[in-house]
Amino acid sequence: MTERSQFTSLLEWYRQEARDLPWRHSRDPYTILVSEIMLQQTRVETVIPFYHSFLDRFPSLTALARAPLEDVYEAWAGLGYYRRAKNLQRAAQAIAQRGSFPNQISDLLQLPGVGEYTAAALASIAFQQPAVALDGNALRVLCRIFGLRSAAQATLTRRQLNRLTLPHIPVGSASDFTQAVMELGARLCLPRQPHCLACPMQSQCLAHRQGLTQQIPPPGLARPRQRVELLALRIWHGHQILLERREEDPFLTQQWVTPWFFAPAQHRLQQYQRSFAGHSLQYVGRIRHAVTFRDLEVDIWEWHTDQPCHLSHQKFVEWLPGQTRLPRLASKVINAAPCQTNPR
Ligand code: SF4
């Protein structure tokens, strides 16, 4: 059985080699909450500038809790997956109302947008509580170290990894332990080609010792990427383009975006053609955009209309590139250059 001391080399490596990331300079649970929510499904390099600008704008939990939601969305614009922004503010409001930041996993799990991984990350990083934060990277690293490879093990993996890992978290070092596992998964214990020869855990890692790094973690653990086809519309009114804000958008909740639908969506296209009658429909082209585990393939159509908007959640806006801050998907749709091929 793996001994507690077997993770010492990982902690030493982390303390010497860890990347200098801005959220690692703070023990303030609010800033750690912001970083953890931003890092959900998003790369570190992408998050860093948003983390700085968001905290410049909302430097405290109270500032975030009291801000208009519009301002929060504006500060989030470009980071994607906007439900996180709404949940982050709702979490800040719940904590403000409660009067103190919860430090127990069971209480953290009550906060909007905080699931098992984020609760464990917060409890360990901000409060030094022994907890195993299992995102995709940590699952891969710990499955390899403990040699979990069978399908039967995979179904129990989270519970099993908690049971195997918790006794090895040194008292007072839970924060470093969580971040060390994350760091190892991001830099050395990579999905396809782990750098085992440079790894501080190579002599303890069962997958490495048994030559099983390609078989572990077992297939069903990683969430497969999903290909999704969408149809997006560019409806022009002179130099203005139609934007709309949708309450229940799966990717861009409450953001002003060009109309889009899951394909096939001929009937929705026809509805918009009736509402905004005008010139003939043109195929612009296809763009690709990744959102969390989905690869979106977006066919763009456009036309010009003379009709005004009648609904409060729709508006025509002047479009000059760089002038309006829009979610990246909407900007990509608007900026896509027309191609010559009509797929019909
Ligand atoms: S030895 Fe290799 S497989 Fe094991 S934890 Fe290190 S990088 Fe990952």
Side-chain angles (χ1 to χ4, degrees):
M1 183 174 163
T2 308
E3 296 297 326
R4 183 189 185 93
S5 61
Q6 286 184 310
F7 281 90
T8 305
S9 54
L10 175 62
L11 285 171
E12 287 171 353
W13 170 80
Y14 171 73
R15 287 166 183 156
Q16 286 169 13
E17 303 284 335
R19 289 165 296 174
D20 184 15
L21 303 177
W23 42 88
R24 289 183 173 160
H25 292 279
S26 170
R27 282 285 172 271
D28 175 3
Y30 166 63
T31 60
I32 294 169
L33 173 67
V34 170
S35 68
E36 284 301 328
I37 300 290
M38 285 186 167
L39 285 164
Q40 288 171 1
Q41 319 283 351
T42 309
R43 294 168 60 84
V44 164
E45 305 75 43
T46 307
V47 165
I48 289 173
F50 286 95
Y51 174 80
H52 287 304
S53 58
F54 194 88
L55 288 179
D56 284 346
R57 193 151 178 186
F58 310 111
S60 67
L61 187 119
T62 316
L64 176 60
R66 289 183 180 158
L69 182 57
E70 281 292 312
D71 290 2
V72 181
Y73 280 136
E74 196 180 300
W76 204 270
L79 193 54
Y81 201 19
Y82 289 82
R83 202 177 296 270
R84 291 183 299 177
K86 187 175 186 178
N87 280 336
L88 178 58
Q89 189 188 38
R90 287 173 58 213
Q93 289 165 342
I95 297 165
Q97 198 169 21
R98 186 181 188 273
S100 65
F101 209 112
N103 61 7
Q104 298 297 317
I105 289 192
S106 55
D107 294 330
L108 289 162
L109 280 168
Q110 305 304 314
L111 298 174
V114 173
E116 283 183 24
Y117 164 76
T118 307
L122 278 168
S124 57
I125 297 173
F127 300 108
Q128 295 287 12
Q129 304 269 4
V132 187
L134 291 172
D135 66 349
N137 276 350
L139 269 171
R140 182 175 64 254
V141 170
L142 294 171
C143 276
R144 283 173 171 168
I145 289 172
F146 291 111
L148 303 188
R149 63 183 167 127
S150 76
Q153 284 173 322
T155 59
L156 297 169
T157 297
R158 285 176 186 273
R159 212 179 317 153
Q160 214 171 348
L161 282 177
N162 264 298
R163 184 172 56 74
L164 289 168
T165 308
L166 271 174
H168 300 285
I169 301 176
V171 175
S173 294
S175 173
D176 281 0
F177 185 90
T178 294
Q179 295 186 83
V181 173
M182 293 174 178
E183 189 80 1
L184 192 65
R187 290 175 54 196
L188 297 180
C189 195
L190 306 178
R192 295 219 177 99
Q193 293 197 311
H195 302 309
C196 299
L197 294 181
C199 178
M201 292 301 289
Q202 66 169 284
S203 60
Q204 296 90 356
C205 173
L206 286 181
H208 174 62
R209 278 163 45 187
Q210 297 169 358
L212 293 171
T213 54
Q214 299 305 312
Q215 284 78 41
I216 300 177
L221 271 188
R223 192 170 192 174
R225 293 198 68 74
Q226 200 180 40
R227 182 172 163 271
V228 179
E229 291 193 2
L230 304 177
L231 183 150
L233 305 180
R234 301 197 312 200
I235 305 174
W236 298 96
H237 191 283
H239 293 296
Q240 296 186 318
I241 191 161
L242 180 73
L243 297 181
E244 61 183 22
R245 186 162 65 175
R246 290 192 284 192
E247 186 67 39
E248 290 303 329
D249 188 296
F251 308 125
L252 300 162
T253 312
Q254 287 287 339
Q255 297 298 294
W256 286 100
V257 293
T258 48
W260 70 264
F261 321 100
F262 290 106
Q266 284 311 106
H267 64 293
R268 300 302 308 276
L269 175 60
Q270 286 159 5
Q271 276 175 3
Y272 277 77
Q273 283 182 292
R274 281 195 295 275
S275 301
F276 297 100
H279 298 210
S280 61
L281 189 65
Q282 299 285 331
Y283 180 63
V284 177
R286 171 170 284 204
I287 59 163
R288 292 182 170 78
H289 186 72
V291 179
T292 64
F293 59 93
R294 295 187 182 94
D295 293 318
L296 310 183
E297 301 202 352
V298 190
D299 278 325
I300 305 167
W301 295 83
E302 71 178 354
W303 71 91
H304 290 261
T305 183
D306 298 325
Q307 305 295 313
C309 290
H310 295 295
L311 301 173
S312 62
H313 68 279
Q314 293 179 326
K315 65 182 179 184
F316 280 107
V317 298
E318 192 81 26
W319 174 253
L320 295 172
Q323 182 192 45
T324 314
R325 280 191 91 187
L326 288 180
R328 237 178 314 167
L329 176 57
S331 296
K332 272 176 148 177
V333 167
I334 297 174
N335 287 318
C339 75
Q340 301 305 313
T341 319
N342 187 326
R344 283 180 152 182

